Amino acid sequence: MRALITGITGQDGSYLAELLLDEGYEVVGMIRRSSTETFDRIDHIKDKITLVHGDLLDQLSLITILEEHHPDEVYNLAAQSFVPTSWSQPVLTGEFNALGATKMLEAIRLIDKNIKFYQASSSEMFGKVQETPQTETTPLYPRSPYGVAKVYAHWITVNYRESYGLHSSSGILFNHESPRRGMEFVTRKITNAAARIKLGLDDKVKLGNLDAKRDWGFAGDYVRAMWLMLQQDKPADYVIATGHTHSVEKLASLAFECVDLDYKDYVETDPALVRPAEVDLLVGDASLAKKVLGWEPKVSFEELIKMMVESDLKHNSDRMK
């Protein structure tokens, strides 16, 4: 089996590449050409995978990659993935996250309809939630340009499945984190701040809405769900979540507890970090994934935060040497 992963240098892409290699796949990773290429997350497996240059906005490059490498599966993880950035770059977010998915689906339709396709959908599509918990049938009400673009990509994936018979599935993934999460995300911002403050490198950390609640899981668990979706005879869409919700304040409390500190002494709220339209509560019901895929999360929220803090402690300590 051969798989193509777009966004292979990201958090999810790196974990998925590891999983597929363990399953005996040949892995092809699509990367964008840039003057400074960063492969930190995949350095340890770089000699085991094939990297090719392509761009979701350049359909010819997608067609060329499919023709040259003949993947059995395509996992579309590439995106403008940071929600706050989608407010300052809404058009770019729409082009990558919505039209990019369409261009990959169209390339698959033109080259080989037997290729199985995975689209990385998002819990941000639920936005102003219409019911709790959220399931595959919950009405979508996105509250950011990111969420809106993901809704488009989600429905175009359904459309190509129903119109052309493609094995195209979407994973509606709720928040999933890891030590490989980007520093701009609130989880990593908090765990890294706790580590740096413990080491005497920083004094404070500024956060936005401490009351916002999310359903946080471990990225390593969630990529397995992606793979399981493409092993099914029939394509479908699945909510992937833990079913448990925690506030940003609880996250901060746990992170600072890991280094024997009280978060109240170090966390400051900054109104500038609050989104124009906030998503207050997201919690998913992954019953369908459990029933059909046999999937369940293995790493708890507490274990996840401890894992991230310990990783950031090591990372910052190593840099001090």
Side-chain angles (χ1 to χ4, degrees):
M1 294 288 287
R2 182 179 295 134
L4 170 65
I5 303 173
T6 72
I8 194 169
T9 59
Q11 170 189 256
D12 291 6
S14 64
Y15 280 110
L16 179 61
E18 289 175 347
L19 183 148
L20 294 177
L21 289 172
D22 288 343
E23 294 291 340
Y25 279 65
E26 293 179 27
V27 176
V28 179
M30 190 181 88
I31 57 174
R32 298 175 66 202
R33 187 178 295 280
S34 65
S35 56
T36 55
E37 296 177 329
T38 56
F39 302 110
D40 294 353
R41 297 183 180 99
I42 58 170
D43 266 340
H44 61 296
I45 55 171
K46 200 174 172 187
D47 60 337
K48 300 177 183 177
I49 60 181
T50 301
L51 296 177
V52 295
H53 286 102
D55 196 310
L56 286 178
L57 301 186
D58 178 13
Q59 190 157 24
L60 181 58
S61 70
L62 305 182
I63 290 172
T64 300
I65 290 170
L66 295 184
E67 286 180 329
E68 290 184 356
H69 295 278
H70 306 288
D72 300 286
E73 300 170 357
V74 170
Y75 295 86
N76 185 39
L77 309 185
Q80 191 297 98
S81 61
F82 191 45
V83 176
T85 297
S86 75
W87 291 104
S88 58
Q89 297 183 324
V91 175
L92 180 70
T93 300
E95 288 175 338
F96 271 114
N97 296 7
L99 296 182
T102 311
K103 290 179 180 182
M104 180 61 85
L105 281 162
E106 185 66 3
I108 290 172
R109 184 185 73 83
L110 292 171
I111 301 304
D112 183 359
K113 292 182 181 179
N114 292 316
I115 295 173
K116 294 181 178 181
F117 176 79
Y118 171 84
Q119 169 60 23
S121 288
S122 167
S123 60
E124 289 287 330
M125 300 190 306
F126 295 121
K128 189 175 181 180
V129 297
Q130 303 300 291
E131 64 181 12
T132 299
Q134 293 87 56
T135 71
E136 292 79 8
T137 58
T138 298
L140 306 177
Y141 196 141
R143 296 268 281 172
S144 67
Y146 172 88
V148 171
K150 282 292 187 178
V151 169
Y152 179 104
H154 179 79
W155 281 113
I156 202 69
T157 299
V158 174
N159 188 258
Y160 269 68
R161 179 168 75 218
E162 296 178 349
S163 301
Y164 302 118
L166 297 189
H167 192 298
S168 54
S169 298
S170 286
I172 308 173
L173 271 57
F174 281 64
N175 294 65
H176 47 289
E177 318 296 323
S178 76
R180 300 179 192 174
R181 191 49 133 166
M183 289 291 185
E184 68 272 23
F185 290 85
V186 69
T187 45
R188 186 75 192 285
K189 181 178 180 179
I190 291 171
T191 61
N192 187 57
R196 289 182 62 82
I197 290 170
K198 180 65 175 180
L199 294 170
L201 298 173
D202 285 332
D203 299 318
K204 300 284 183 181
V205 59
K206 292 184 178 182
L207 301 175
N209 181 10
L210 295 180
D211 295 325
K213 296 180 176 67
R214 293 291 185 274
D215 182 333
W216 277 296
F218 173 50
D221 287 340
Y222 284 39
V223 298
R224 186 160 194 84
M226 300 177 188
W227 175 70
L228 287 169
M229 288 178 211
L230 298 199
Q231 310 318 303
Q232 307 306 306
D233 293 333
K234 295 182 179 180
D237 305 321
Y238 297 90
V239 164
I240 304 300
T242 70
H244 301 288
T245 185
H246 305 276
S247 67
V248 172
E249 186 171 20
K250 176 63 174 178
L251 194 162
S253 176
L254 279 174
F256 279 86
E257 278 180 22
C258 289
V259 291
D260 299 317
L261 297 175
D262 185 342
Y263 80 99
K264 294 177 183 177
D265 296 331
Y266 306 98
V267 171
E268 296 179 353
T269 55
D270 183 352
L273 297 175
V274 177
R275 299 178 188 178
E278 184 60 85
V279 175
D280 296 315
L281 172 64
L282 290 173
V283 55
D285 179 354
S287 298
L288 184 64
K290 181 178 180 180
K291 178 182 177 182
V292 178
L293 307 178
W295 179 87
E296 286 186 279
K298 297 177 181 178
V299 178
S300 71
F301 179 66
E302 292 75 14
E303 290 170 333
L304 170 64
I305 300 307
K306 183 179 180 182
M307 177 198 309
M308 293 176 67
V309 172
E310 289 178 349
S311 174
D312 282 324
L313 278 170
K314 183 179 186 305
H315 173 73
N316 284 286
S317 295
D318 289 346
R319 293 181 65 183
M320 291 169 66
K321 295 177 181 177

